[in-house]
Amino acid sequence: MLPQADIEGGAKSRIKIQNYIEGHWVSDPKEESVPLINPSTGEEIGEVPSSSVETSNLAVKAAADAFASWRATPLPKRMSYLFKLYSAMQENLEDLAQAIALDQAKHISEARGEVNRVIEIVQMSCSIPALLQGETIQGIATDINGRVIKAPLGVFCGVAPFNFPALVFGWFIPVAIGTGNTFVYKPSTESPLFMQKIMQLLEDIGLPAGVVNVVHGDREVVEAWYDNDDVVGVCLVGSTPTAKSIAEGCGRHAKKTMLLGGAKNFLVALEDAPMDLLIENILMSGYGSAGQRCLAVSNIAVVPEIHDEFVERLLAASKNITLGDARDPNVFMGPVISANAKHRIEEYIGLGIEGGATLELDGRNPSLPEANREGYYVGPTIFTDVTPCMRIAQEEIFGPVLSIMKVRSLDGALKLIKDHPLGNGACIFSQNNYQIEKFISLADVGMVGVNVGICAPHPYLPFGGIKGSLVGNNKVQGKDTIDFFTQNKVATVRSVDPVDPVVPKAVTQDDVRSCVAS
Ligand code: NAD
């Protein structure tokens, strides 16, 4: 049991994040750490271990040792842990959400939404027995039947980005362990507190030691998995360069991968877009989580008929956005994750100006409550006259910066989407069914939305992009994840009568010749 002071992070106590291996809270022998910061205030609130390769390997060994008995655990028993996790997460929802609002500085209402979504994923994972059913085909030869078994594979490892500490846990771990695998997980060092609390809950519900292990640290922890023979697969949600780097490392050692990368999402507004709904959705999609969402709108393609009215309305609404501590329910927007992220976003604002775009609203130096002046805030930022080749239109900014482009028609918008190297999501606002169906069919992305600002599908459906937004093939959620964490093992089974065994006649050359002749 983790000492309370280590997980609470009250005004005076420092948060000490720890690794969790084989059912124990363990420190790394290297004893190196990085500071844990509250981005809302810039205050150092604790420390996160920078674990060594040895600790990473120790966690894999714990997961490998636990695999044999975990895979043999009857399905109802395995599911009972997921049911207990479901209840434990519901009972601790507020505590889990506050953890996310503290170290990741996600606005408290969105943090609650994230935890609720994970609870839905755990609920969906409780249906794994139905999804794990294999297939049988009778009589593939005399007395021989064929069978497909969805079998677990062994130890999977997962890596999380800073911006969805709960959701990414939900995407990987309930399904991985529900299907009979064991797991090693590396959270982001910028938002580790949620996982600390989840591991406490998993310990409290009695999950057997070694089934889920957590190692904090940087890329060395991950790179140690590539040539570790006990690791069968690695999954990541992160930026595209990280996804490519893991794909290379795993590719060299023939490991399975499920790697979700970066995003640059388009929103297309046609002449009949419902304007109130459009503005309201852009505020949530573009500025929610301070623009640090893989489905946040970033590029907005607008037809000339509504361009000027749209810009005027969006500017007026954006100027009313309030900034402050992510745990304050009365503000709209919290900070970005770090001083580096703030600096990078501000550099992009400079690049937009240099590139010739018109800066209509500048989010640098926003007005802030006194207590938050040292936090990492960037306010809503809007560029117009953006052209597709500008860096602000091409590159992932991952902040509350919107780039507005004029397009003549839906075809022009579809071309912009097609030409972009990333393809996570895209949304359209229109009431014209023909244009909507054309968009659904032709938008070159993995997820589309119609009259919604964020096209995040429900846990029953797959989540993931295409092009540079997904390295490899597997998406998360739904049946796609079940496929990733299992193999379709084939059994060819001959029945032999124990009383009167019939010895099958060997096939002779004459049999073959007679077959060919007939
Ligand atoms: P990141 O790529 O910097 O880091 C992600 C994780 O990978 C972290 O845990 C980090 O420690 C680790 N890491 C970094 N470099 C590594 C390397 N070379 N080898 C192995 N591990 C490495 O991403 P981030 O800044 O934490 O998160 C933001 C990014 O994640 C954005 O690009 C965003 O679009 C993306 N994201 C994508 C989705 C999606 O569904 N496609 C969802 C959330 C976030």
Side-chain angles (χ1 to χ4, degrees):
M1 171 102 177
L2 194 65
Q4 204 59 9
D6 286 349
I7 54 175
E8 283 310 322
K12 290 271 178 278
S13 64
R14 269 176 73 78
I15 299 169
K16 189 169 177 349
I17 299 292
Q18 281 186 275
N19 296 323
Y20 189 88
I21 299 176
E22 210 174 4
H24 301 290
W25 297 99
V26 290
S27 306
D28 189 83
K30 236 180 21 162
E31 289 192 346
E32 286 175 13
S33 62
V34 291
L36 181 64
I37 308 284
N38 172 1
S40 291
T41 58
E43 190 192 350
E44 187 175 323
I45 51 172
E47 61 196 67
V48 191
S50 298
S51 302
S52 57
V53 168
E54 291 71 33
T55 301
S56 181
N57 287 334
L58 213 61
V60 172
K61 184 172 180 321
D65 290 346
F67 177 57
S69 68
W70 181 245
R71 77 177 300 178
T73 303
L75 261 172
K77 179 79 183 158
R78 285 211 304 260
M79 290 308 108
S80 73
Y81 293 110
L82 293 181
F83 277 112
K84 285 182 197 160
L85 175 63
Y86 173 80
S87 304
M89 287 189 71
Q90 279 188 321
E91 281 159 25
N92 292 277
L93 195 154
E94 187 58 23
D95 188 39
L96 294 167
Q98 289 290 346
I100 298 170
L102 178 65
D103 68 357
Q104 199 244 295
K106 180 169 285 172
H107 188 276
I108 183 62
S109 63
E110 294 171 54
R112 290 185 189 121
E114 183 178 347
V115 178
N116 261 320
R117 177 45 67 96
V118 178
I119 290 172
E120 285 176 359
I121 296 176
V122 176
Q123 184 184 44
M124 178 263 166
S125 304
C126 293
S127 66
I128 279 174
L131 298 170
L132 270 187
Q133 291 185 24
E135 293 165 10
T136 303
I137 178 161
Q138 297 278 100
I140 53 174
T142 306
D143 290 334
I144 296 183
N145 298 328
R147 200 183 300 158
V148 179
I149 306 155
K150 291 196 96 58
L153 287 156
V155 178
F156 279 90
C157 299
V159 195
F162 77 82
N163 67 323
F164 275 113
L167 189 61
V168 174
F169 154 79
W171 279 347
F172 296 162
I173 294 182
V175 176
I177 65 171
T179 51
N181 305 283
T182 54
F183 212 89
V184 178
Y185 190 60
K186 191 200 87 59
S188 165
T189 49
E190 293 176 313
S191 53
L193 191 50
F194 171 84
M195 241 3 245
Q196 181 110 324
K197 287 178 180 280
I198 280 287
M199 291 318 295
Q200 186 62 62
L201 294 184
L202 290 177
E203 185 177 281
D204 294 347
I205 65 170
L207 187 75
V211 174
V212 178
N213 308 272
V214 172
V215 182
H216 297 277
D218 215 328
R219 55 188 294 177
E220 304 76 38
V221 169
V222 178
E223 286 165 352
W225 300 335
Y226 302 157
D227 62 357
N228 187 322
D229 291 340
D230 282 328
V231 175
V232 294
V234 176
C235 33
L236 162 91
V237 177
S239 63
T240 299
T242 304
K244 287 183 176 168
S245 171
I246 293 179
E248 275 176 33
C250 286
R252 280 198 300 277
H253 298 277
K255 311 257 185 242
K256 285 190 93 175
T257 53
M258 177 166 72
L259 308 167
L260 275 69
K264 185 84 182 169
N265 305 304
F266 280 82
L267 184 146
V268 180
L270 299 185
E271 56 278 14
D272 59 351
M275 191 61 83
D276 291 345
L277 190 71
L278 173 63
I279 301 295
E280 186 191 317
N281 274 268
I282 289 179
L283 299 186
M284 289 310 296
S285 174
Y287 309 143
S289 291
Q292 303 167 115
R293 267 200 295 233
C294 61
L295 282 179
V297 55
S298 180
N299 286 340
I300 303 178
V302 193
V303 293
E305 291 86 337
I306 59 164
H307 178 274
D308 293 354
E309 182 199 350
F310 167 71
V311 172
E312 194 182 314
R313 295 267 313 262
L314 182 63
L315 269 173
S318 302
K319 284 175 184 165
N320 288 331
I321 297 286
T322 49
L323 278 83
D325 199 300
R327 287 173 297 170
D328 178 354
N330 299 316
V331 299
F332 186 95
M333 209 171 124
V336 297
I337 187 69
S338 63
N340 278 346
K342 175 176 153 75
H343 180 68
R344 197 198 63 246
I345 296 163
E346 289 176 347
E347 274 188 347
Y348 271 109
I349 297 174
L351 282 171
I353 299 165
E354 275 169 39
T358 306
L359 182 60
E360 304 276 2
L361 183 62
D362 187 353
R364 295 171 293 186
N365 305 314
S367 120
L368 291 168
E370 179 73 37
N372 300 96
R373 301 267 158 86
E374 300 300 316
Y376 313 128
Y377 294 86
V378 183
T381 300
I382 298 176
F383 281 105
T384 52
D385 303 318
V386 177
T387 56
C389 295
M390 290 179 185
R391 283 185 63 184
I392 54 166
Q394 280 295 312
E395 297 172 20
E396 183 178 32
I397 300 174
F398 222 50
V401 180
L402 299 175
S403 298
I404 300 174
M405 309 173 190
K406 256 189 204 157
V407 285
R408 276 208 205 99
S409 63
L410 176 61
D411 286 343
L414 286 170
K415 179 160 172 25
L416 291 180
I417 296 170
K418 173 116 192 107
D419 289 346
H420 200 281
L422 299 175
N424 213 35
C427 296
I428 187 170
F429 277 74
S430 169
Q431 298 171 69
N432 179 319
N433 209 35
Y434 174 77
Q435 305 272 50
I436 289 170
E437 288 299 330
K438 184 171 176 180
F439 181 81
I440 293 172
S441 170
L442 297 182
D444 201 26
V445 292
M447 295 169 279
V448 290
V450 178
N451 296 321
V452 294
I454 304 168
C455 44
H458 192 270
Y460 301 152
L461 303 172
F463 184 111
I466 56 168
K467 300 187 281 188
S469 296
L470 184 77
V471 178
N473 299 318
N474 285 89
K475 299 188 176 189
V476 296
Q477 292 193 161
K479 288 185 190 159
D480 283 45
T481 328
I482 303 275
D483 285 342
F484 178 70
F485 288 118
T486 55
Q487 63 142 323
N488 286 328
K489 188 173 194 174
V490 176
T492 306
V493 183
R494 169 179 280 136
S495 318
V496 179
D497 185 342
V499 180
D500 181 18
V502 177
V503 180
K505 194 166 79 80
V507 178
T508 64
Q509 284 298 323
D510 283 347
D511 292 334
V512 175
R513 271 188 228 106
S514 71
C515 270
V516 173
S518 64

